[in-house]
């Protein structure tokens, strides 16, 4: 399994010339993010001083990474692109479709039976088109990427919003939809609006119970779930250099929860140590040769307010452990205040489960620090009062942790060791009793805690914290437990305290693994046949979406006016629906079933203007489509936050929705809608959201004049005959309007391929 050393050499060879040219154009010192972006401009691009937040720019990423749930749709699209092989190094990772239920061995065996058809499809497509394949059980995509592929100064895109994890090794790594991945794998330019820049200065050094997770939990509380939208977050300062590479990865990973395009750190000794520990000494040596280009300029960090659009400063020496939630990852509470907050808000303080893992916190260091708390519990004759589960991040982490006795410590505390996979973090958790929908509390080291996400129960109050805090709270069984000050009573009735966690940044004996789960593709995949059974319930070959007819859309009806938070989980749920990620028609039966209808404040209940009756969203929309009636969706702020899943755009497109009109979009979802040939529009006046009525008929007045920087006018005809003309803004450029006219970006690629 090569990590493309020649590609890395080629990337670094461009840095001196590209950055020198950028300095002349920009006319000032450069941040790390700017250096990486300018170094990865698409060949032939004229170097210019791109306007942050406004200029659309073409880039040439170095590699692509795909997880199994999203890879299905990405590769189904790539199969239509007419290419014999991917143009850049690409990998597919089987980590989402493994249910956490009984423990690693049984769960992995069950997943191979339940999802074997999908795994076989991904394996054969990977083999045919030159894509590296990571088998089920190999590990969580972002941990595997950090261990094997991430490198300082590189640019990567991935079909998962937490692709940003690779910022822990100094990459600009960005989550995208599958159609964007197809562009890059097909050898085409990848387009991104040039991001604004947020600088986070870290001073001091962490101590005691504080961990890297608390940095991003604090930042999330400051910026909220939409404060990073359209921005790259760059961490710097003495505090940043004191963090481990995997700790940096944790911070970057959860940057997805503030809407950031990505987050990154400058190259330093911790990254070099991690590269050498993971058998990439030659990458560290190459990075050292250009290290002045792999971090921001000294002037930038000395006077950050002059170079960043926003600056935040956090003193690690005084940072307190945080517990964020419930129901949103930006509700940040220091541990010293959590009991009072719980009592004030009626949150259950009895903790039912403590879960450690996910792509955010499943490194060796994470398990090491959490196991030190578990060992104390064993030594001090404490038992967990909550159920306890562990998901190692990769087979390499699992094997090494097992060799070093870390897993046995957890097992001595009656923890269940689940598969090296996402598991409960993305709803792949067969939690006993979840169907009763009882009000309860869980704590985990994951990144997201939206309603229903972990176990499908809307009454599960999920809280996000560090692995060591999860261990402590699982032992106490009490959400309000503060290990910095509180005592516990052991089996002999003695009062005991937990000492601060200790752990190893890297394993003292080095990493080890017998089979890391990697499978290289065939040198020549031309003879590989990819078969999809037409009767399959899991996989379905794609049919091109119809192009725009060039006329105004008239007589459209309102499908739903979504109220409040509407994430991709609300638009296209995960959990049991993951099994349909490769079958567009079947998964469309979950379209918008989690969105709250503004008119009755219920989910999956909308009024049909064909019958006047209320019914499920997908069935109502299918009836509109069958009747030839176009529809639109209306939404609130930050519509489509969360996962990169393009199913949230493809499902309404497949079912016949023409446009989505909202107060504001999350970045990835807006792009996904554009790629699939839909209209992604925002209210010019947010107050016009209130003018949209349940029985409205909508007419586009000037879509036939669709052009960049020209708002669209939509006429809303109300049931009483009155009308409101609502002005809708958009961010489409000429190329993106071409996608809309062609019916999708993929349609345009195919047309261009044919010449």
């Amino acid at each position: 399994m090569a990590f493309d050393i020649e590609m890395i050499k080629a990337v670094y060879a461009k840095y001196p010339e590209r950055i020198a040219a950028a300095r002349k154009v920009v006319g000032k010192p450069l941040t790390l993010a700017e250096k990486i972006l300018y170094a990865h401009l698409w060949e032939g691009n004229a170097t210019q001083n791109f306007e942050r937040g406004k200029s659309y720019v073409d880039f040439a990423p170095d590699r692509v990474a795909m997880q199994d749930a999203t890879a299905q749709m990405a590769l189904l699209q790539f199969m239509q692109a007419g290419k014999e092989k991917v143009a850049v190094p690409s990998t597919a990772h089987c980590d989402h479709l493994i249910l956490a239920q009984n423990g690693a061995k049984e769960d992995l065996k069950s997943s191979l039976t339940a999802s074997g058809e999908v795994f076989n499809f991904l394996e054969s497509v990977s083999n045919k088109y030159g894509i590296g394949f990571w088998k089920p059980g190999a590990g969580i995509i972002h941990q595997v990427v950090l261990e094997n592929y991430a490198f300082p100064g590189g640019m990567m895109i991935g079909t998962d919003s937490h692709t940003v994890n690779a910022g822990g090794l100094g990459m600009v790594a960005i989550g995208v939809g599958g159609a964007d991945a197809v562009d890059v794998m097909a050898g085409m330019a990848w387009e991104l609006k040039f991001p604004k820049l947020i600088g986070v200065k870290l001073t001091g050094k962490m101590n005691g119970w504080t961990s890297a997770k608390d940095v991003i939990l604090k930042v999330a509380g400051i910026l909220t779930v939409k404060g990073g939208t359209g921005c790259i977050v760059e961490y710097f300062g003495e505090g940043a250099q004191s963090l481990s590479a995997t700790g940096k990865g944790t911070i970057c990973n959860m940057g997805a929860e503030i809407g950031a395009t990505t987050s990154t750190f400058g190259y330093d000794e911790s990254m070099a140590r991690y590269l050498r520990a993971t058998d990439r000494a030659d990458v560290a040596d190459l990075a050292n040769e250009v290290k002045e280009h792999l971090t921001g300029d000294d002037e930038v960090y000395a006077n950050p307010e002059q170079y960043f659009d926003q600056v935040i400063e956090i003193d690690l020496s005084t940072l307190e452990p945080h517990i964020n939630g419930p129901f949103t990852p930006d509700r940040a509470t220091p541990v010293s205040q959590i009991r009072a907050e719980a009592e004030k808000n009626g949150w259950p303080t009895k903790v039912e489960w403590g879960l450690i893992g996910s792509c955010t916190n499943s490194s060796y260091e994470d398990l090491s620090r959490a196991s030190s708390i578990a060992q104390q519990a064993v030594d001090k004759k404490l038992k967990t009062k909550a159920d306890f589960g562990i998901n190692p991040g990769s087979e390499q982490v699992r094997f090494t942790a097992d060799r070093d006795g870390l897993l046995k410590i957890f097992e001595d505390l009656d923890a269940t060791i689940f598969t090296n996979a996402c598991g409960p973090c993305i709803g792949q958790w067969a939690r006993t009793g979840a169907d009763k929908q009882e009000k309860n509390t869980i704590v985990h080291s994951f990144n997201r805690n939206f309603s229903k996400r972990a176990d499908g129960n809307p009454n599960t109050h999920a809280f996000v914290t560090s692995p060591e805090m999860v261990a402590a709270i699982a032992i106490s069984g009490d959400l309000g437990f503060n290990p910095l000050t509180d005592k516990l009573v052991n089996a002999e009735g003695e009062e005991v305290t937990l000492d601060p966690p200790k752990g190893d940044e890297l394993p003292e004996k080095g990493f080890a693994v017998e089979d890391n789960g990697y499978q290289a593709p065939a040198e020549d995949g031309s003879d590989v046949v990819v078969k999809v059974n037409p009767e399959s319930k899991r996989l379905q070959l794609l049919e091109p979406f119809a192009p725009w007819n060039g006329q105004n859309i008239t007589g459209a009806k309102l499908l739903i006016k979504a109220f409040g938070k509407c994430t991709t989980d609300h638009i296209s749920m995960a959990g049991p629906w993951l099994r349909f990620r490769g079958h567009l028609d079947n998964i469309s039966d979950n379209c918008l079933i989690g969105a709250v209808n503004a008119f009755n404040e219920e989910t999956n209940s909308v009024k049909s203007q064909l019958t006047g009756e209320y019914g499920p969203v997908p069935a109502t929309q299918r009836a509109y489509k069958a009747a030839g009636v176009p529809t639109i969706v209306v939404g609130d702020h930050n519509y489509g936050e969360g996962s990169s899943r393009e199913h949230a755009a493809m499902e309404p497109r497949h079912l016949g929705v023409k446009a989505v009109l909202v107060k504001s979009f999350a970045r990835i979802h807006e792009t996904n809608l554009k790629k699939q040939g839909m209209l992604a529009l925002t209210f010019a006046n947010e107050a016009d959201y209130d003018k949209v009525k349940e029985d409205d008929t909508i007419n586009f007045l000037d879509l036939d004049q669709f052009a960049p920087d020209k708002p669209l006018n939509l006429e809303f005809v109300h049931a009483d005959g009155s009308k409101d003309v609502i002005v809708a803004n958009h961010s489409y450029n000429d190329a993106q309007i071409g996608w809309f006219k062609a019916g999708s970006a993929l349609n345009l690629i195919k047309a261009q391929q044919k010449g």
Side-chain angles (χ1 to χ4, degrees):
M1 176 211 44
F3 42 74
D4 313 300
I5 195 67
E6 294 303 319
M7 177 267 286
I8 296 173
K9 288 180 181 177
V11 171
Y12 287 163
K14 292 188 300 183
Y15 260 83
E17 181 181 348
R18 289 287 187 97
I19 291 175
R23 285 191 201 287
K24 291 180 181 179
V25 171
V26 176
K28 61 181 181 180
L30 300 175
T31 66
L32 168 64
E34 288 174 312
K35 290 180 179 181
I36 298 176
L37 292 172
Y38 276 100
H40 286 84
L41 291 177
W42 182 252
E43 294 292 344
N45 265 10
T47 303
Q48 56 183 295
N49 189 0
F50 297 110
E51 188 173 1
R52 296 177 187 174
K54 292 187 178 180
S55 303
Y56 278 98
V57 186
D58 286 340
F59 292 100
D62 304 313
R63 66 174 309 112
V64 174
M66 299 168 283
Q67 45 96 332
D68 51 357
T70 50
Q72 296 170 65
M73 198 57 68
L75 293 177
L76 284 165
Q77 292 176 85
F78 183 76
M79 289 168 64
Q80 297 186 55
K83 298 290 183 177
E84 294 182 359
K85 199 169 187 178
V86 292
V88 301
S90 304
T91 50
H93 304 252
C94 297
D95 62 353
H96 275 55
L97 299 177
I98 301 171
L99 193 68
Q101 185 172 17
N102 299 310
K105 187 175 181 179
E106 291 184 37
D107 292 345
L108 182 58
K109 183 179 179 180
S110 297
S111 76
L112 292 173
T113 299
S115 296
E117 178 186 14
V118 172
F119 295 146
N120 290 338
F121 167 75
L122 294 175
E123 181 182 8
S124 63
V125 176
S126 297
N127 209 22
K128 183 173 182 64
Y129 294 107
I131 298 168
F133 181 70
W134 289 83
K135 296 180 285 188
I140 304 171
I141 174 173
H142 311 304
Q143 179 66 32
V144 172
V145 165
L146 200 70
E147 291 175 1
N148 296 278
Y149 301 120
F151 66 97
M155 175 181 271
M156 177 174 68
I157 65 168
T159 62
D160 187 283
S161 57
H162 294 104
T163 298
V164 295
N165 188 78
L169 274 178
M171 290 194 93
V172 161
I174 301 175
V176 299
D180 275 344
V182 170
D183 284 353
V184 178
M185 291 190 294
M188 301 177 66
W190 173 65
E191 183 184 72
L192 177 73
K193 188 180 288 186
F194 202 91
K196 293 185 176 182
L197 303 177
I198 297 174
V200 180
K201 182 178 182 179
L202 302 180
T203 62
K205 189 174 182 179
M206 293 184 305
N207 57 79
W209 284 87
T210 305
S211 74
K213 185 64 165 283
D214 297 303
V215 175
I216 186 58
L217 294 177
K218 175 73 171 179
V219 170
I222 295 170
L223 289 176
T224 77
V225 291
K226 60 181 180 180
T229 301
C231 301
I232 290 180
V233 182
E234 184 171 324
Y235 292 84
F236 62 94
E238 61 176 353
Q241 294 184 13
S242 72
L243 301 171
S244 68
T246 52
K248 291 178 172 74
T250 291
I251 292 169
C252 293
N253 181 293
M254 204 173 155
E257 273 48 76
I258 58 173
T261 300
T262 193
S263 303
T264 195
F265 285 78
Y267 177 65
D268 62 16
E269 281 303 311
S270 72
M271 295 184 190
R273 289 194 298 272
Y274 188 76
L275 287 168
R276 295 184 192 283
T278 51
D279 294 327
R280 290 174 288 172
D282 43 1
V283 178
D285 292 340
L286 288 172
N288 284 336
E289 293 177 8
V290 293
K291 62 182 179 181
E292 71 273 17
H293 299 310
L294 303 180
T295 188
D297 289 336
D298 291 341
E299 299 93 327
V300 170
Y301 296 155
N303 301 285
E305 290 80 5
Q306 297 179 25
Y307 303 100
F308 292 98
D309 297 286
Q310 180 180 354
V311 177
I312 296 168
E313 185 168 338
I314 297 174
D315 181 0
L316 300 185
S317 301
T318 60
L319 181 63
E320 189 176 345
H322 275 61
I323 300 174
N324 285 26
F327 306 127
T328 186
D330 61 346
R331 185 167 186 166
T333 306
V335 65
S336 62
Q337 300 173 26
I338 192 70
R339 186 178 299 283
E341 283 295 303
E343 291 174 354
K344 181 174 71 175
N345 292 285
W347 303 334
T349 55
K350 179 185 177 184
V351 176
E352 305 286 348
W353 268 90
L355 297 157
I356 292 173
S358 88
C359 58
T360 318
N361 278 115
S362 56
S363 67
Y364 184 89
E365 181 181 32
D366 290 325
L367 296 186
S368 176
R369 285 174 62 85
S371 69
S372 76
I373 303 302
Q375 184 64 64
Q376 287 185 59
V378 174
D379 294 342
K380 296 179 181 183
K381 300 178 181 178
L382 293 166
K383 293 185 177 180
T384 53
K385 293 186 178 178
D387 288 325
F388 200 19
I390 313 291
N391 281 88
S394 69
E395 176 57 16
Q396 178 167 272
V397 166
R398 187 211 65 79
F399 188 94
T400 306
D402 190 33
R403 179 201 67 189
D404 295 346
L406 304 187
L407 298 188
K408 184 179 185 304
I409 295 171
F410 290 123
E411 290 171 336
D412 287 344
L413 208 58
D414 293 327
T416 301
I417 310 299
F418 292 121
T419 316
N420 314 319
C422 301
C425 181
I426 46 88
Q428 285 290 81
W429 184 22
R431 183 184 177 189
T432 303
D435 57 331
K436 297 178 182 178
Q437 299 198 357
E438 295 174 342
K439 189 175 180 180
N440 74 102
T441 286
I442 65 173
V443 294
H444 58 57
S445 69
F446 308 159
N447 38 51
R448 293 188 178 135
N449 56 349
F450 304 142
S451 175
K452 299 184 181 181
R453 182 173 174 88
D455 62 4
N457 178 3
N459 298 311
T460 292
H461 292 55
F463 293 85
V464 183
T465 189
S466 67
E468 45 267 61
M469 285 294 296
V470 170
I473 293 172
I475 291 164
S476 71
D478 180 8
L479 179 65
F481 176 66
N482 182 355
L484 285 73
T485 58
D486 297 348
K487 295 181 179 180
L488 297 168
V489 178
N490 69 10
E492 297 181 356
E494 301 168 330
E495 284 191 340
V496 297
T497 58
L498 294 174
D499 299 323
K502 296 180 180 179
D504 297 318
E505 174 186 344
L506 297 164
E508 185 177 343
K509 300 176 185 176
F511 285 107
V513 68
E514 289 182 349
D515 177 6
N516 64 8
Y518 176 71
Q519 181 174 301
E523 286 292 326
D524 179 4
S526 58
D527 292 334
V528 177
V529 178
V530 179
K531 295 181 179 179
V532 175
N533 184 347
E535 303 301 317
S536 173
K537 303 298 183 185
R538 300 289 300 268
L539 297 165
Q540 180 187 47
L541 295 177
L542 295 174
E543 294 291 334
F545 292 130
W548 178 48
N549 63 10
Q551 300 176 5
N552 282 317
I553 298 169
T554 59
K557 303 299 182 182
L558 177 71
L559 174 60
I560 187 172
K561 178 179 174 180
F563 174 75
K565 185 185 283 286
C566 191
T567 71
T568 48
D569 276 24
H570 295 88
I571 305 167
S572 176
M573 288 185 176
W577 291 94
L578 283 175
R579 66 187 186 276
F580 296 130
R581 285 284 179 87
H583 197 294
L584 182 55
D585 192 59
N586 282 347
I587 200 169
S588 293
D589 283 333
N590 79 2
C591 183
L592 286 157
I593 63 175
V596 177
N597 182 352
F599 298 108
N600 59 13
E601 296 192 9
E602 296 181 7
T603 58
N604 204 24
S605 175
V606 294
K607 185 177 181 180
S608 167
Q609 291 196 50
L610 299 177
T611 66
E613 298 178 353
Y614 285 85
V617 181
T620 302
Q621 178 55 39
R622 286 186 187 275
Y624 281 133
K625 182 179 181 181
V629 177
T631 57
I632 76 165
V633 169
V634 171
D636 214 317
H637 276 299
N638 207 29
Y639 184 88
E641 88 174 76
S643 170
S644 68
R645 70 191 69 152
E646 65 185 341
H647 300 76
M650 296 185 78
E651 291 173 31
R653 177 72 166 105
H654 171 68
L655 294 179
V657 176
K658 302 299 183 184
V660 180
L661 172 63
V662 301
K663 293 180 182 178
S664 65
F665 282 107
R667 174 191 63 85
I668 300 176
H669 187 63
E670 181 181 20
T671 300
N672 286 346
L673 289 168
K674 291 179 179 181
K675 286 278 185 177
Q676 299 305 330
M678 291 186 70
L679 291 168
L681 310 173
T682 56
F683 290 101
N685 180 0
E686 290 180 6
D688 286 346
Y689 172 90
D690 297 325
K691 294 179 180 178
V692 178
K693 307 301 179 186
E694 193 170 29
D695 297 314
D696 283 349
T697 297
I698 304 103
N699 301 309
F700 284 75
L701 302 180
D702 50 6
L703 182 59
D704 55 351
Q705 302 166 45
F706 195 17
D709 302 317
K710 184 178 184 295
L712 294 172
N713 292 279
L714 283 67
E715 178 186 65
F716 283 73
V717 182
H718 307 305
D720 62 4
S722 62
K723 300 177 182 178
D724 280 301
V725 175
I726 291 176
V727 180
N729 292 332
H730 66 84
S731 59
Y732 287 75
N733 57 26
D734 283 322
Q736 294 167 350
I737 290 174
W739 302 342
F740 172 72
K741 290 179 177 179
S744 72
L746 184 58
N747 285 357
L748 191 59
I749 290 175
K750 291 168 67 177
Q752 292 169 343
Q753 282 285 111
K754 293 178 181 177

